[in-house]
Amino acid sequence: ASYIIDDLDTGGTYYVRVSSENGAMGTGKFVETIPRKRRLTGFPQPPTSVSVDAADKNTLAIFWSSEAYLNNHDIEGFKIERYRKSAAASSSSSSFFGEPEVVKFSTLGLGLTGGSFQVYFGDFETSTHILLGTAKVEEGLDYAYTHNDLSAHLNRGEPILIGDEQHFVDETNLFTSTKLPLSEEFSGSSGGNIGIFGRSKSRLISYDATASDLKSA
């Protein structure tokens, strides 16, 4: 069984508990969810009023509106990239990195009536992984104590980097807002503030998503 609680505030932390009931006795004992709390986050909207100007012959100055940053809990910072147009991109192409590659997704014929999926972008490489947070790790333990809740960003069985050592999120052991289970013991150097890196991927996409939904994911 499942139930959707909507119209909640982005950035808020919510606790949920569930009980059973019947007409004879009423409501039974409540049990808390695992994890017992969840902070609502989402992919941030892009900055607005972005412009560029030549400060001098070797320098570009970038400007954008700070209003979204001040009022949006999803935004913790900004990333700026610079590049030149690839010679592989035709003059008529909207891509700066070559001709666009079209990937088709379909759930037709699978008999699905619910659920969601995610799309991973590229292989799990040093050049493509992203920093998810930090954790306290100790050599010989098969879990890490995270400083921020990673349960909303990682799936069981998913590859991760702890520092420069690759691991997988364990398939069955307890996964909470502060405890990240590993499929095998950590063999690197212990530390209290080690970076946890994951693959670049989309948000959760509904099984019946439209083409527009996929493009925005």
Side-chain angles (χ1 to χ4, degrees):
S2 64
Y3 183 80
I4 300 297
I5 305 175
D6 54 13
D7 294 327
L8 303 178
D9 296 326
T10 301
T13 298
Y14 292 89
Y15 297 80
V16 179
R17 61 180 188 171
V18 182
S19 72
S20 302
E21 65 178 14
N22 59 36
M25 301 299 294
T27 301
K29 181 181 179 180
F30 278 94
V31 293
E32 294 181 333
T33 58
I34 299 176
R36 62 189 297 264
K37 64 179 180 179
R38 178 75 76 181
R39 180 174 181 267
L40 294 180
T41 59
F43 286 97
Q45 294 296 313
T48 58
S49 304
V50 181
S51 62
V52 61
D53 195 10
D56 57 46
K57 65 178 183 178
N58 300 114
T59 308
L60 292 175
I62 316 300
F63 307 91
W64 64 90
S65 172
S66 62
E67 181 178 352
Y69 175 70
L70 298 175
N71 298 322
N72 191 333
H73 295 288
D74 284 343
I75 300 177
E76 297 178 350
F78 297 94
K79 181 178 182 179
I80 299 175
E81 296 181 338
R82 62 179 175 89
Y83 50 87
R84 294 181 177 180
K85 187 167 184 175
S86 169
S90 65
S91 59
S92 60
S93 172
S94 60
S95 169
F96 287 93
F97 306 103
E99 298 309 304
E101 179 181 356
V102 178
V103 180
K104 294 183 178 181
F105 298 89
S106 177
T107 57
L108 296 177
L110 299 180
L112 300 179
T113 58
S116 58
F117 65 94
Q118 288 179 297
V119 178
Y120 291 86
F121 305 113
D123 297 324
F124 190 54
E125 301 173 346
T126 303
S127 60
T128 58
H129 67 233
I130 58 175
L131 178 65
L132 300 176
T134 58
K136 177 183 178 182
V137 294
E138 295 184 19
E139 183 180 359
L141 296 183
D142 62 355
Y143 57 86
Y145 288 110
T146 56
H147 299 146
N148 51 304
D149 186 0
L150 301 183
S151 59
H153 305 286
L154 291 172
N155 301 313
R156 291 186 179 276
E158 186 170 336
I160 56 174
L161 282 180
I162 303 179
D164 57 0
E165 184 173 301
Q166 181 168 331
H167 284 269
F168 291 87
V169 181
D170 190 78
E171 296 280 3
T172 57
N173 288 339
L174 183 64
F175 189 1
T176 71
S177 60
T178 58
K179 190 173 183 179
L180 173 63
L182 309 177
S183 60
E184 58 185 19
E185 294 180 354
F186 180 72
S187 59
S189 300
S190 301
N193 197 38
I194 306 298
I196 305 292
F197 300 87
R199 295 178 65 180
S200 178
K201 59 186 177 182
S202 71
R203 59 174 173 78
L204 284 174
I205 304 169
S206 174
Y207 81 102
D208 59 351
T210 64
S212 177
D213 293 333
L214 283 170
K215 289 181 67 174
S216 65

